[in-house]
Amino acid sequence: MAAPSRRLFGTNGVRGVVNRELTPEFVLLLTEAIGTFFGRSKILVGWDGRTSSPILSDLVASGLMSAGCTVYELGMAPTPAVQYLAKAGGFNGAVMVTASHNPPEYNGIKVMDFTGVEIPPEGELAIEKIYFKKQMALRDWNSLGEKLPAQDRLEAYRRAIMERVDQDVIRRSRFKVVVDAANGVGSLTTPYLCRELGCEVVTINSHIDGTFPGRLPEPTPANLDSLCRTVRSVGADVGVAHDGDADRAIFVDEKGQVHWGDMSFALIAEHYLKQGGGREVVTPVSSSQVIEDIASKYGGKVVWTPVGSPYVSRTMIARGAGLGGEENGGIFYAPHIPVRDGGMATALMLEVMATAGERLSTLTDRLPRYFNIKDKVPCPSRLKSRVLRQVKKEAEGYRVETTDGLKIWHRDRSWILIRPSGTEPVYRLFAEARSKEEAERLSSRYKAVISRAVKRNVRRS
Ligand code: MG
């Protein structure tokens, strides 16, 4: 299932630092290539709240129109809203200007097809070919694309989410919710969505500001101190933190404890399987076994994918699976749209809490407990595949899976995932075990194995 190698597109579109990798000239040529790929068609364009998004979205519109596409400008919107509206509005595709959770100096271009899902790797390769071979088909003056407004559609997106949950049971619970939108586009939808679901809403970091003055756009526990404090001080039932483009949601319980994405996914999966929503749940190999425990308890089945949200979406579509999730807080709900959606995740979590009639901390306490360690080891990109082969040899005797990188299983269901980063010269390590000590032991053992292999190969090359 590994993607053929692409030169511009990464796991989630084309990303880079603005005016360094992502220069205006490059973005214009790239979107001329994207427009050529789509041909004469209706393309929805949205953007996040980054300082560079107004510049890039104008370039995107210009590139698409010069290739004959009609551009419908949605304006600032969460990525999942653009994806849902691309599908529901009968567009041929969509382009989103966003760098998701990356630091403020980054931005990116994400391309979706008429289903609202990221175009497959073959499509990305086709766009790259047009770009590198300079085969952009620019139109004459009398067949250029137009630019039309497509604002005021965010309400339709919110309504679509609300239709997928039990609104009455949520409204009866009269939850108090704190929303931390990371000064990003989630502030345009999630606070309103929660209010429409009968919640009392407190917001923090919810004015859009591309300098991200409140916190960095990645909702890691280290960035969520003020959310945790606010949840406790206002006596909220739950806090929700988005990344910069609101396709991810991380939840904080009423005690102010952050629960990482695979725990909230486990709760949503439990609810989904119990309610007879479907049998299969889809998740990348980096997720906790807690998903497997929950699935087997309710007669469900976990389908494991490589790491990256497009893999989860495509696997869900191919298998007709209804629910997917990622350890980073991505929840994919196919009845709405099989892409990760922070607003949909929030509504589902409210439904889980309301249906159970219990506090979020009680629900998470009941889940099987595992300990996770994340780490990384430097490794020059050119040595990555050679090093991985040598590490695999050292894991002889253990069960090894190769869905993505190496997943090595040790005793008592502890495991370590070793995968090359697609963007940095490092190996990423994810270890999980029943105790913190065992997870740390696994992580440092393989860290040492990789470092030794890197050193050997550096000396040789
Ligand atoms: Mg994102």
Side-chain angles (χ1 to χ4, degrees):
M1 201 156 165
S5 79
R6 289 153 293 176
R7 290 152 77 186
L8 302 174
F9 285 86
T11 319
N12 271 297
V14 179
R15 295 260 176 99
V17 173
V18 171
N19 281 347
R20 297 237 189 103
E21 296 97 20
L22 230 52
T23 61
E25 295 79 2
F26 167 68
V27 172
L28 184 64
L29 292 173
L30 174 68
T31 42
E32 286 173 4
I34 296 169
T36 304
F37 169 78
F38 278 111
R40 282 195 93 66
S41 45
K42 289 161 49 180
I43 307 293
L44 186 66
V45 176
W47 52 93
D48 70 11
R50 287 167 188 269
T51 55
S52 56
S53 290
I55 299 174
L56 299 194
S57 58
D58 277 354
L59 291 161
V60 167
S62 300
L64 292 172
M65 287 188 293
S66 50
C69 299
T70 301
V71 169
Y72 291 76
E73 284 196 312
L74 180 62
M76 275 202 267
T79 298
V82 174
Q83 294 182 284
Y84 170 76
L85 293 168
K87 177 186 82 161
F91 293 94
N92 303 101
V95 176
M96 177 71 190
V97 176
T98 182
S100 186
H101 62 277
N102 289 147
E105 63 273 25
Y106 282 81
N107 213 329
I109 308 283
K110 217 170 138 90
V111 186
M112 275 69 69
D113 65 17
F114 68 97
T115 66
V117 178
E118 291 86 346
I119 56 168
E122 305 85 75
E124 294 173 344
L125 281 168
I127 291 169
E128 293 190 356
K129 188 171 163 229
I130 297 168
Y131 172 85
F132 286 111
K133 296 204 160 173
K134 299 195 169 45
Q135 291 167 337
M136 290 75 124
L138 301 191
R139 305 278 169 159
D140 289 332
W141 68 274
N142 53 1
S143 59
L144 297 171
E146 291 177 272
K147 193 199 270 184
L148 300 170
Q151 286 106 343
D152 305 326
R153 295 188 186 216
L154 291 183
E155 198 194 328
Y157 160 72
R158 293 201 308 271
R159 260 203 321 270
I161 292 176
M162 288 170 65
E163 279 165 16
R164 296 295 170 194
V165 290
D166 187 338
Q167 299 178 39
D168 293 338
V169 75
I170 298 174
R171 281 206 186 91
R172 275 200 299 275
S173 303
R174 307 172 76 86
F175 289 127
K176 191 170 191 176
V177 182
V178 183
V179 178
D180 175 350
N183 297 107
V185 281
S187 50
L188 298 171
T189 48
T190 301
Y192 302 96
L193 173 71
C194 294
R195 203 164 295 144
E196 284 157 7
L197 287 169
C199 303
E200 184 185 335
V201 180
V202 176
T203 57
I204 62 168
N205 304 326
S206 286
H207 65 285
I208 295 178
D209 185 335
T211 66
F212 299 104
R215 64 165 168 90
L216 285 172
E218 179 151 32
T220 55
N223 290 336
L224 301 184
D225 274 357
S226 36
L227 175 61
C228 297
R229 260 184 285 119
T230 310
V231 165
R232 278 196 304 268
S233 65
V234 304
D237 299 287
V238 61
V240 52
H242 289 314
D243 66 331
D245 64 335
D247 55 357
R248 288 162 56 185
I250 290 291
F251 296 95
V252 170
D253 70 23
E254 80 288 351
K255 293 179 179 166
Q257 307 176 105
V258 180
H259 296 287
W260 196 234
D262 29 23
M263 299 302 270
S264 43
F265 177 41
L267 291 180
I268 292 171
E270 181 175 38
H271 177 72
Y272 172 81
L273 294 167
K274 257 178 155 170
Q275 304 255 323
R279 210 177 79 80
E280 285 188 346
V281 292
V282 179
T283 197
V285 286
S286 51
S287 293
S288 169
Q289 298 166 82
V290 72
I291 310 297
E292 186 87 64
D293 296 342
I294 291 298
S296 57
K297 185 168 169 193
Y298 295 98
K301 178 176 184 284
V302 182
V303 180
W304 301 95
T305 72
V307 178
S309 61
Y311 290 114
V312 178
S313 294
R314 283 183 215 121
T315 306
M316 287 175 71
I317 295 167
R319 304 184 65 99
L323 184 71
E326 293 175 303
E327 51 86 35
N328 64 14
I331 294 289
F332 309 61
Y333 191 54
H336 171 58
I337 183 168
V339 302
R340 58 185 180 192
D341 185 332
M344 188 72 243
T346 305
L348 286 170
M349 185 52 93
L350 294 174
E351 185 182 82
V352 167
M353 291 164 56
T355 309
E358 285 182 284
R359 318 239 55 175
L360 185 51
S361 67
T362 314
L363 294 172
T364 46
D365 278 352
R366 242 181 251 146
L367 291 172
R369 187 89 199 265
Y370 293 98
F371 293 85
N372 299 80
I373 302 273
K374 279 189 199 178
D375 211 335
K376 53 184 176 182
V377 193
C379 174
S381 297
R382 66 194 159 81
L383 297 179
K384 274 179 182 169
S385 47
R386 205 187 308 164
V387 165
L388 202 63
R389 277 198 301 276
Q390 294 171 2
V391 174
K392 192 176 175 188
K393 258 189 215 147
E394 300 220 20
E396 237 164 26
Y398 294 104
R399 180 156 70 92
V400 173
E401 286 168 23
T402 53
T403 307
D404 189 351
L406 288 182
K407 191 169 182 176
I408 305 163
W409 291 85
H410 279 235
R411 64 190 151 75
D412 203 20
R413 298 181 75 210
S414 57
W415 55 267
I416 183 155
L417 174 69
I418 302 166
R419 52 183 298 271
S421 161
T423 49
E424 288 174 65
V426 298
Y427 263 106
R428 294 193 189 287
L429 308 184
F430 296 70
E432 180 173 84
R434 296 243 183 229
S435 71
K436 194 165 167 244
E437 295 70 34
E438 178 61 15
E440 276 165 355
R441 200 187 59 75
L442 260 182
S443 179
S444 49
R445 168 176 172 168
Y446 282 95
K447 215 175 154 177
V449 169
I450 298 168
S451 301
R452 273 201 308 274
V454 171
K455 255 187 226 143
R456 265 198 314 271
N457 285 289
V458 168
R459 249 183 272 131
R460 235 183 271 158
S461 61

